[in-house]
Amino acid sequence: MLRKIGHELLLQAGDSTSRVLPVQKIAENEYQIKFENELTFQPDSLMNTTQRLLANEPQASDYIVNVLTCNRPGVFYAFAVSKNKSNSIVTCSKRKQPTACYIVNIKFKPASVYTTKSGYLWGGLPLLAFVGFIFFRSANPRKSSIITQQNTKFKLGAVIFDTLERHLKVNENIIDLTGTETRLLLIFASTPNETITRSRLQKEIWEDEGIIVGRSLDMFISKLRKKLECDPNINIVVVRGKGYKLDISA
């Protein structure tokens, strides 16, 4: 199936004769597709081809595609696909890429689900991993007059943040959050009024899953700010040269 993805990419680039080189398994659940010759590709075609060919594979419901160039380090283009569509990340899909030597890495989410001694599930969606992280930290609870936790709910000023339902509740009003917004706010909610570096946010939200982002972080911060406007005592502020802080006025 992975070779067929490479085959169709070559056809879309107008190449019907050069080879797709042997697919390599470079890590657990991660595979690499290489090509004999240089090619060009359009991101939306790559995404559509990958989704179509992997649609009926039960172990391929969640995966990350990283396109690398042969002679330069770093990720040239990337996107993430999840059965939970709010966790998918797709950018710049209409921009045709220049002809070059490309390598396509596909990393699948592990199929196994691990259970800790405390009974919480690990290895599922990234959100569950973050919730589990917070539960484990409760062995050394931090005293705070601003934020309290009951199961998977945080009280931020007048706002109730429900991590499992993925929404904010103010009085009787419900404000829905995306999967990424939930994971991002969960990091802030665990350490209110403390500066969190950009590098930590990028690593814990995206880079640990194989995607490196820049402006995407600022975009999600901006969206979260708007959704937190329901309480004027809550704001995500920029700490110049360092990162961001969830500022909650007493």
Side-chain angles (χ1 to χ4, degrees):
M1 194 63 67
L2 294 176
R3 287 187 60 80
K4 193 169 184 180
I5 292 173
H7 167 70
E8 293 208 11
L9 282 180
L10 289 177
L11 292 180
Q12 292 164 11
D15 184 345
S16 60
T17 58
S18 69
R19 294 181 300 145
V20 177
L21 299 180
V23 173
Q24 294 181 322
K25 183 177 181 179
I26 60 174
E28 190 66 27
N29 304 306
E30 187 171 3
Y31 300 84
Q32 192 169 83
I33 306 170
K34 294 184 176 181
F35 305 92
E36 183 180 24
N37 293 334
E38 295 184 343
L39 70 150
T40 181
F41 72 96
Q42 190 155 319
D44 56 343
S45 297
L46 171 60
M47 183 181 65
N48 293 336
T49 298
T50 304
Q51 287 184 295
R52 173 170 51 82
L53 293 177
L54 297 179
N56 295 322
E57 294 293 325
Q59 296 182 352
S61 59
D62 295 78
Y63 54 89
I64 294 165
V65 176
N66 286 320
V67 180
L68 317 173
T69 52
C70 301
N71 300 319
R72 287 188 293 175
V75 177
F76 187 80
Y77 179 78
F79 63 89
V81 174
S82 174
K83 60 183 176 182
N84 184 342
K85 293 183 178 180
S86 64
N87 288 330
S88 297
I89 302 174
V90 179
T91 59
C92 305
S93 61
K94 298 298 182 182
R95 300 180 184 273
K96 187 176 181 180
Q97 304 304 316
T99 300
C101 176
Y102 293 113
I103 300 170
V104 179
N105 275 20
I106 302 182
K107 182 177 182 179
F108 299 97
K109 185 183 76 173
S112 59
V113 177
Y114 301 96
T115 305
T116 70
K117 292 180 181 179
S118 300
Y120 300 110
L121 294 177
W122 290 73
L125 293 176
L127 171 61
L128 295 181
F130 275 102
V131 172
F133 174 70
I134 297 302
F135 287 151
F136 262 73
R137 289 186 59 179
S138 63
N140 285 311
R142 304 177 56 162
K143 294 182 179 180
S144 172
S145 60
I146 297 175
I147 182 170
T148 60
Q149 179 183 3
Q150 294 181 341
N151 297 325
T152 58
K153 296 181 180 180
F154 291 84
K155 189 175 188 304
L156 308 172
V159 177
I160 302 297
F161 169 38
D162 192 319
T163 61
L164 289 186
E165 295 297 327
R166 296 196 312 192
H167 67 224
L168 303 173
K169 185 175 181 180
V170 186
N171 297 324
E172 296 303 318
N173 297 320
I174 299 295
I175 302 172
D176 291 326
L177 301 172
T178 67
T180 302
E181 290 169 348
T182 301
R183 295 194 297 274
L184 188 58
L185 184 55
L186 185 54
I187 296 175
F188 284 117
S190 65
T191 53
N193 293 327
E194 292 185 16
T195 300
I196 300 176
T197 63
R198 287 181 62 89
S199 59
R200 177 190 165 188
L201 292 171
Q202 289 184 205
K203 178 175 175 55
E204 294 191 20
I205 298 296
W206 290 287
E207 288 182 19
D208 283 347
E209 302 223 3
I211 294 180
I212 301 174
V213 297
R215 295 182 181 177
S216 297
L217 176 59
D218 300 318
M219 177 186 71
F220 281 108
I221 292 288
S222 177
K223 289 182 177 180
L224 267 182
R225 280 198 187 109
K226 291 181 179 179
K227 293 185 178 183
L228 290 170
E229 286 177 351
C230 54
D231 185 343
N233 295 317
I234 302 176
N235 190 26
I236 299 175
V237 299
V238 177
V239 181
R240 192 170 301 276
K242 294 183 178 180
Y244 296 93
K245 177 174 66 175
L246 179 64
D247 185 58
I248 306 178
S249 303

